[in-house]
Amino acid sequence: MIDLRELKSRHDEIAANIKNRNMRVDLDAIIALGDKRSSVMQEADALRARRNEVAKQMKGKLDPETRAKLIEEGKELKTRIAEIEKEASDLDAQYLAAARTIPNYANPKAPIGKEDKDSTAVKFVGKPPVFDFKPLDHVQLGEKLDLIDFDTATEVSGPKFYYLKNQAVLLQMAIERYAIDIVLKHGFTPFITPDVAKEEILNGIGFNPRGAESNIYTLEGTGTALVGTAEITLGGYYAGRVLDKKELPIKMTGLSHCFRREAGAAGQYSKGLYRVHQFSKLEMFIYCLPEESDKWHDYLLSIEEEIYQGLGLAYRVIDTCTGDLGAPAYRKFDIEAWMPGRGENGEYGEVTSTSNCTDYQARSLQIRYRDDEGKLQYVHMLNGTATALSRTMVAILENYQQKDGSIAIPEKLIPYCGFSVIPAKH
């Protein structure tokens, strides 16, 4: 969450940011709730002070009438304090829940807009392939070469699940190891993270585990949910901790399964592997000093570009508009790889994103460090997708298909796969 002490002093700026993000947040109602919360807490403090004063008076010499009055007042205070502490606790929970709906401040350089079409392409790398035959999409390729089975997965698990088969299994493992080797070269500590996180961690990271708009699968009755990304488990790793400034930046990379409800996701751009309920992803995560987060954000993007340039895929870099940032991000860059099977003539599709969330997540999770003066400060937290394996699979299958029906393997992946081509089946 943002610094709640600034709700009044930066009211207009916060309200404009909410509007620019195309979010519905009643800022004035939250401020009013905060004022009520403060008033009730002050009343509770006054009642506790009076209770202490009564207790102090009871220790002295008193006549029976005065003592009886004080005893009666003490009973009334006890009852009233219990009531007002309950009210204060309820108001505090309501206020913090409402405050978490206020998005992070946005970088002034982020394009202002309501949806992805308002984002800005800031860089193009490589040229989309030109085929001398009609290319197939990855769903057709997967079925034709016996690499992906959507039909059986639908029967076993439901829509938007899939089986990978044969060479596709080895190809996914190759992409995974190729990306890990690049990230490790940059000094990241590797993790395989849990697939489950507590709801307070999800809330702290900025994922809503409840409600119709939630993209998260909750595990009923457990207070936990399946993670949608290792950002959640890597971001929760140091929750409630005070980090040593000398250790910053802390660079972590986590491999995890990712589970997303994807409610309402439909259409040709969501078909096949592009938008599914379960996939695997290698995530990068950095905890750093506030003054260095912009630098590390560019660094995460450079690693993502290194990975996809190595795969020989044409891509573009997107500076994400305010309406598509999500609540935690201060600024976000996406890499969209060329996918020949999207639309009539091919289109770019997102394969990675990297976000600078500044201190927004750290405030909720209480992750801090001591500055040179010994004062506690909040770290800045950043995340970046090294590779989303299913979408990278889409790009490779579609871009590397050949006229004879086979699929070539990108040169960088051949040592990991152990083969250079997925042969055609006739």
Side-chain angles (χ1 to χ4, degrees), residues 27-154:
L27 180 59
D28 292 329
I30 294 172
I31 291 173
L33 185 60
D35 289 341
K36 183 178 180 181
R37 165 181 169 267
S38 297
S39 176
V40 170
M41 286 180 169
Q42 289 173 7
E43 183 180 352
D45 288 340
L47 289 170
R48 283 191 287 265
R50 176 56 187 165
R51 179 187 61 189
N52 293 340
E53 185 180 335
V54 168
K56 186 177 181 180
Q57 291 178 14
M58 290 286 290
K59 294 179 180 179
K61 291 184 178 181
L62 300 170
D63 59 77
E65 183 179 352
T66 301
R67 181 174 293 278
K69 287 182 179 179
L70 289 175
I71 290 173
E72 184 60 29
E73 183 180 359
K75 290 180 181 179
E76 292 174 357
L77 284 169
K78 182 179 180 181
T79 300
R80 179 58 184 145
I81 287 171
E83 293 173 348
I84 203 164
E85 284 181 342
K86 174 66 166 59
E87 183 181 1
S89 177
D90 291 344
L91 283 171
D92 188 56
Q94 293 173 31
Y95 176 62
L96 291 178
R100 286 194 182 97
T101 66
I102 301 172
N104 196 3
Y105 298 103
N107 188 309
K109 295 180 181 178
I112 295 176
K114 292 185 177 181
E115 49 194 57
D116 57 2
K117 67 179 180 63
D118 299 316
S119 298
T120 303
V122 296
K123 185 177 184 180
F124 288 82
V125 175
K127 293 182 179 180
V130 177
F131 300 100
D132 60 356
F133 60 94
K134 182 173 176 57
L136 304 178
D137 64 40
H138 74 281
V139 176
Q140 295 167 317
L141 291 165
E143 292 175 350
K144 192 172 183 179
L145 300 182
D146 199 23
L147 300 174
I148 313 169
D149 187 341
F150 293 103
D151 293 338
T152 304
T154 299

